Amino acid sequence: MHVFINGRFLPEEQATVSVFDRGYLYGDGLFETILVLNHSPFRWEQHMRRLEAGAAYLNIGLPFTRHALREAASALIDINHFPNALLRLTLSRGVGSRGYSPRGADKPTLVLTLHRTTAPDRHICPQWRLVTSSIRLPVAQRLAQFKTCNKLPQILARSEAEAAGAQEALLLNTAGAVVEATSSNLFWIAGGSVCTPPLESGILAGITRGLVAEICESIRVPLVETTIMPDQLRLAEGVFLSLSSVGIAEAVVLDGKPLRQSALTHRIRNVFLEVLHEETGWGVADVV
């Protein structure tokens, strides 16, 4: 496989980053994971806006324009012959002086990699088992709104999920509310409305989360941002997760106990698949 690193396309065994790179040493950087279907990166502009906002917040200069990155991504997809893939974009502050100070780190590192994936199954919605993690996230953490390279809490929580035979772990914040999963945003259905935690609860502003909001508006289903405690979540009419790599996944078990399932989850997923078709050309003609 070839990768793109700092303007060059190289075989992966030749693509190296300095051991003094701050992304490696401190997680000083950002990343985006973008679904590619039919050679087309899905919701590219939205991912780029979040990346640019995060880079501005961290004061890391993007070494390529949005247009140049799009051309590099297209070329990488073609070189590797990966029409369906996950595109990972990693931006690091680059090499600097020893220590936490970012002084002197003025040549950012930018890497694009591809990872094979399969297109979503048009007929089967993923059904996931969840566990509640012991890891807690801080409330009103500004950094949580960007995909920083610091993901130890999510790594530890995912390890707990895997040890329990679950696909995902739910994270609570320091106020005790359920806020998100390790790599996905949380939604639940109550009284015919779709509910989700607000950004200030300490969650990532997920790209697919934003699309779910668009879908709710298009089908005239109220979307409510509110907090929920673990015991309340178990009483929801339905629970689902959103993430770029999978789209919509229905939660069917939480901490070993079954969750209720809602037809509204599947309705939202079907509209999501239609949007995939409209924006990438991926065929979903038989979605109902």
Side-chain angles (χ1 to χ4, degrees):
M1 184 179 74
H2 281 70
V3 305
F4 175 90
I5 179 167
N6 292 336
R8 302 173 65 196
F9 295 93
L10 296 169
E12 61 178 301
E13 60 272 13
Q14 297 179 23
T16 59
V17 174
S18 170
V19 295
F20 299 112
D21 189 281
R22 293 179 60 85
Y24 166 72
L25 293 174
Y26 307 116
D28 188 1
L30 301 159
F31 72 98
E32 291 288 332
T33 302
I34 306 172
L35 177 65
V36 176
L37 287 179
N38 192 32
H39 302 270
S40 179
F42 182 57
R43 295 262 147 163
W44 173 266
E45 293 298 320
Q46 290 86 342
H47 281 282
M48 288 303 101
R49 284 199 294 269
R50 184 172 65 185
L51 176 70
E52 290 165 357
Y57 185 76
L58 297 182
N59 196 27
I60 299 176
L62 274 166
F64 299 93
T65 66
R66 189 185 299 186
H67 177 70
L69 282 176
R70 182 66 176 84
E71 289 189 333
S74 295
L76 189 66
I77 293 165
D78 291 340
I79 290 170
N80 286 295
H81 306 291
F82 282 10
N84 299 326
L86 293 175
L87 171 66
R88 159 96 181 207
L89 187 155
T90 307
L91 173 68
S92 162
R93 197 181 301 274
V95 175
S97 303
R98 193 202 70 81
Y100 291 150
S101 172
R103 285 198 305 257
D106 53 8
K107 293 182 179 179
T109 300
L110 193 141
V111 177
L112 299 179
T113 57
L114 285 174
H115 310 271
R116 287 190 185 276
T117 192
T118 57
D121 190 304
R122 295 188 290 248
H123 307 291
I124 301 175
C125 179
Q127 294 188 326
W128 286 2
R129 297 180 302 278
L130 313 179
V131 296
T132 303
S133 173
S134 64
I135 305 300
R136 298 293 179 264
L137 299 178
V139 178
Q141 171 58 267
R142 173 71 169 147
L143 278 174
Q145 296 186 32
F146 310 112
K147 296 202 77 169
T148 71
C149 292
N150 295 275
K151 290 295 180 184
L152 272 178
Q154 289 76 14
I155 290 168
L156 294 174
R158 179 62 66 84
S159 178
E160 291 179 344
E162 291 175 353
Q167 284 84 15
E168 256 286 30
L170 286 182
L171 293 154
L172 278 58
N173 63 17
T174 48
V178 186
V179 287
E180 63 181 358
T182 64
S183 59
S184 52
N185 287 118
L186 171 70
F187 295 86
W188 66 95
I189 298 165
S193 295
V194 173
C195 306
T196 192
L199 294 182
E200 56 267 24
S201 65
I203 69 169
L204 174 71
I207 302 304
T208 311
R209 177 184 184 272
L211 177 52
V212 170
E214 294 176 24
I215 290 171
C216 287
E217 182 177 7
S218 72
I219 63 176
R220 299 184 179 180
V221 170
L223 179 70
V224 180
E225 291 194 351
T226 186
T227 57
I228 192 168
M229 307 305 284
D231 290 344
Q232 296 171 314
L233 184 64
R234 295 183 179 92
L235 302 176
E237 297 164 21
V239 179
F240 66 93
L241 305 168
S242 70
L243 62 165
S244 292
S245 59
V246 173
I248 305 295
E250 183 176 34
V252 294
V253 174
L254 174 57
D255 295 329
K257 296 181 179 180
L259 294 169
R260 296 167 66 186
Q261 295 173 254
S262 172
L264 183 53
T265 296
H266 297 269
R267 184 183 177 193
I268 290 171
R269 182 175 187 266
N270 283 338
V271 178
F272 168 80
L273 295 177
E274 292 170 2
V275 175
L276 277 183
H277 169 65
E278 292 169 1
E279 296 189 12
T280 69
W282 172 68
V284 291
D286 55 345
V287 169
V288 295

